Amino acid sequence: MSAARAGLVEAARVSIARGSKSFALASRLFGTETRERVWMLYAWCRACDDLADGQDHGGAMERVDDAQARVDQIRRMTAAALAGETTGNAAFDAIGQLSREVALPRALTDDVIAGFQLDADGWQPRTESDLMQYCYHVAGAVGCLMALVMGVPANADDTLDRACDLGLAFQLANIARDVAEDARADRCYLPADWLADAGIDTDAIMDPAHRPALAALGARLADMAAAFEASARCGTAALPFRSAWAVSAAATIYGDIAREVRRRGSAAWDRRVVTSRGAKIAALGGGLWQASRRHTAATPPRAGGLWTRPRHA
C-alpha cells in the first residue's frame, strides 16, 4: 500500500469511528481490502453530509445560510477527485482513490449529491413516492455503491436492488427516529399527504396533541423499513461470507432502531433512540448465523410492491 493511500485509509478509519459506532463495528467484519474501501466510501458520504448540514461527524444539525454554495462545493470537489485531482480534503481524495480501484458509475455519485440538492432547495415530500425518491438519493444510491465496493458486478440488477433496499431501510429508520430533531432544524421528511390525512399541522408536528397520530406515522415508517430490510437480507446470498456477515449485522442494528420507534409509540421522541453495545454485539452474532445460512434456501423474487431504483444505477 502506498503511503498516500495508507493516509487516506487511516483518515477514513478515524471518520467512521467518530461518525458511526454502528457502521464502524459492522465494518470490522469485512476482509481487509473491502473494509478499507468501505471506510473510504463512508468518509466521502460523511464529509458531504457534514458539509451540507453544518455538522461535524453527525450530531445536531445547524441551519445554514449558504446551502447552495455548500452543495456546489460538494459537487465541485467530488468531480475533481473523480477526475484524479488532489483536493486537499482527505474524504474527497478518498473517493478519488476508491474510484481508481473500483468502477463507480458517475450516475450513482451524482444521485447521492442530488439528495443534498433537495435539502438545499428546502424540499419536502408531498407523497410517499416523493419520500422514497429522497431516500434513494441519500441512502439507496449509497447502498448500490457499497455493493459495488463489495465486488457485486455492475450488471447484477437484482443484487443491486437488494443493496438499494438496505439503504432505503436505513433511511426510513433514520427518518422515523429523527422526526423531532428534523423539526428543530425546520425540516420534515414525512409526506404532506400523510400529515394531512392524520390531521397534523406541518408547522406544529411536535405538538403534544399530535403525538398519537405521529406515533401511527412512526409505525408506518417502521413497517416500511422492515419490508425493505427483509428484501435486502435476501441479497446476501450473492455476497462473500464476510460481506454477508457485515451486511446482516448492520441490517439488524438499524432495523432495531425502527422497531424501537414502533415499540415506544407516542414516547418515541422523548429521548433519542439508540442501540446499546450489547444489542450491537448480539447483532454480530445473529449476522454470523444468518450469513452462514445464506445459501440454504432459494432467494425469493423481490416483492413487486417495493419501490424500484432508477435503472441507470
Side-chain angles (χ1 to χ4, degrees):
M1 184 191 304
S2 70
R5 185 184 188 280
L8 295 177
V9 168
E10 175 58 17
R13 183 197 66 77
V14 171
S15 177
I16 197 170
R18 288 186 61 196
S20 177
K21 291 181 174 60
S22 296
F23 283 137
L25 182 63
S27 74
R28 297 179 189 177
L29 306 179
F30 290 112
T32 301
E33 183 178 77
T34 301
R35 179 169 62 247
E36 291 173 351
R37 290 173 174 174
V38 165
W39 287 348
M40 287 192 285
L41 179 56
Y42 174 90
W44 173 71
C45 294
R46 179 75 269 166
C48 291
D49 205 25
D50 285 350
L51 183 57
D53 290 340
Q55 297 172 298
D56 180 11
H57 287 81
M61 287 187 295
E62 297 180 2
R63 293 180 176 85
V64 297
D65 297 324
D66 58 344
Q68 186 58 58
R70 289 168 179 261
V71 175
D72 290 342
Q73 183 180 358
I74 290 169
R75 190 173 281 117
R76 183 171 59 253
M77 292 177 69
T78 300
L82 294 177
E85 300 175 23
T86 299
T87 69
N89 182 301
F92 286 89
D93 289 342
I95 196 68
Q97 175 66 39
L98 182 59
S99 72
R100 291 189 287 277
E101 299 177 15
V102 178
L104 302 179
R106 183 64 180 268
L108 280 177
T109 55
D110 286 348
D111 279 350
V112 174
I113 296 172
F116 299 116
Q117 185 65 62
L118 289 173
D119 281 329
D121 292 340
W123 172 93
Q124 292 184 1
R126 295 191 58 82
T127 66
E128 184 175 306
S129 179
D130 291 343
L131 167 64
M132 296 314 303
Q133 185 68 31
Y134 177 79
C135 289
Y136 165 72
H137 283 297
V138 300
V142 176
C144 292
L145 287 167
M146 282 288 185
L148 296 173
V149 166
M150 293 178 207
V152 173
N155 62 353
D157 281 336
D158 184 70
T159 304
L160 291 176
D161 283 342
R162 308 290 183 154
C164 179
D165 287 347
L166 187 60
L168 299 176
F170 286 176
Q171 189 60 27
L172 289 165
N174 282 338
I175 290 172
R177 177 190 61 192
D178 296 339
V179 169
E181 179 182 330
D182 289 336
R184 287 192 293 271
D186 292 331
R187 291 187 181 181
C188 177
Y189 298 107
L190 299 173
D193 60 2
W194 286 17
L195 295 171
D197 290 344
I200 299 175
D201 184 348
T202 305
D203 296 326
I205 287 176
M206 300 312 299
D207 188 314
H210 293 323
R211 279 300 184 95
L214 191 61
L217 297 187
R220 184 172 179 176
L221 287 169
D223 289 346
M224 290 171 64
F228 283 106
E229 178 190 343
S231 176
R233 289 184 187 278
C234 294
T236 60
L239 300 178
F241 173 75
R242 294 188 65 166
S243 293
W245 184 7
V247 167
S248 296
T252 297
I253 291 169
Y254 259 80
D256 284 349
I257 290 173
R259 286 184 278 275
E260 180 63 10
V261 169
R262 179 182 242 295
R263 188 193 70 78
R264 289 187 186 182
S266 295
W269 304 282
D270 290 350
R271 66 183 188 282
R272 197 170 197 261
V273 172
V274 297
T275 306
S276 70
R277 182 166 182 79
K280 290 174 184 175
I281 292 173
L284 297 186
L288 176 61
W289 181 81
Q290 292 158 18
S292 68
R293 293 172 54 85
R294 70 193 189 285
H295 295 308
T296 61
T299 300
R302 188 170 178 271
L306 294 181
W307 189 84
T308 300
R309 68 186 172 92
R311 268 299 178 256
H312 71 255

